[in-house]
Amino acid sequence: MEPQFWRDRWAEGKTAFHEGKPNSFLTQFLARMTGKRVLVPLCGKADDLSYLASEGREVVGIELVEDAVKAFFDEHSLTPTVDGNRYTAGPITLIASDIFAIDRKQLGTIDAIYDRAALVALPPDLRPRYVAHLRAAVADTVPGLLVSIEYPQERMEGPPFSVPETEVRTYYPKAQLLAEQPLTSGRAAELGVAIERCYSVTW
Ligand SMILES: C[S@@+](CC[C@H](N)C(=O)[O-])C[C@H]1O[C@@H](n2cnc3c(N)ncnc32)[C@H](O)[C@@H]1O
């Protein structure tokens, strides 16, 4: 997707992906994602960010749309210090940037990755590049939680895209399926057949 696609979605309030509460898989399986400093790629203004912080984690979120970054802090009554595109309040740092422009040096040490609605936000041609980029940006052994969805792709145009389990396993051969449930929110849920899956992943 072009950056403008996401800027327009945020400007028009077309953010059905925003859950407005911590993701249920995250709260259920947080303990499976050990590590102090958590990278949240394509983070939007997810409440998962403040939930992770409330559980004692340091959080580094990457979000393309700066207005979404600002909205996160506003809506949580936090006043961040701003250094260029880096917004920090306590244990939460959000960087307003294209994930592909972020490197290991900018991130510092990352101990875990939490991906909800990030892999599935990207079209098929970008997904292998995205996973390779994450891998290059963190240490190889970093554990992660991945929340992904699957539905008949021909019935709806993404995003969110369907990322079947077989594809997840091409990126993360050691992926462990922790749970799955019918998808209940967002556009794909309206199809009535979409499944949401949570995996424990590492490389
Ligand atoms: C489907 S939303 C998911 C947001 C969040 N993870 C959540 O669970 O609510 C995808 C987000 O990724 C952002 N985004 C899209 N492409 C991006 C990129 N290349 N780099 C950083 N953020 C991006 C969009 O602006 C959008 O906020």
Side-chain angles (χ1 to χ4, degrees), residues 40-111:
V40 186
L42 284 67
C43 63
K45 59 171 187 175
D47 292 279
D48 301 335
L49 301 163
S50 48
Y51 171 74
L52 284 164
S54 74
E55 291 293 321
R57 309 297 181 100
E58 286 170 27
V59 180
V60 183
I62 311 294
E63 168 55 48
L64 181 69
V65 180
E66 194 153 14
D67 282 346
V69 169
K70 290 179 180 165
F72 171 81
F73 290 107
D74 282 352
E75 290 171 20
H76 290 82
S77 305
L78 295 168
T79 307
T81 55
V82 184
D83 179 10
N85 62 353
R86 225 177 157 93
Y87 292 65
T88 301
I92 302 176
T93 294
L94 303 188
I95 305 176
S97 169
D98 185 336
I99 186 79
F100 294 105
I102 294 289
D103 60 22
R104 197 187 267 243
K105 198 167 153 225
Q106 286 162 280
L107 289 178
T109 304
I110 294 294
D111 306 312

Side-chain angles (χ1 to χ4, degrees), residues 98-141:
D98 185 336
I99 186 79
F100 294 105
I102 294 289
D103 60 22
R104 197 187 267 243
K105 198 167 153 225
Q106 286 162 280
L107 289 178
T109 304
I110 294 294
D111 306 312
I113 300 178
Y114 171 62
D115 177 324
R116 185 250 163 199
L119 181 67
V120 301
L122 299 170
D125 57 325
L126 264 192
R127 295 198 289 262
R129 198 181 137 208
Y130 162 76
V131 178
H133 184 74
L134 285 186
R135 189 171 184 171
V138 302
D140 263 4
T141 51

Side-chain angles (χ1 to χ4, degrees), residues 4 11-12 19 27 29 52 58 68 71 84 87-88 101 111 114 151 157 159 162 173 194:
Q4 197 56 43
E12 291 161 18
E19 294 188 284
T27 58
F29 296 114
L52 284 164
E58 286 170 27
Y87 292 65
T88 301
D111 306 312
Y114 171 62
Y151 64 87
E157 258 186 50
S162 173

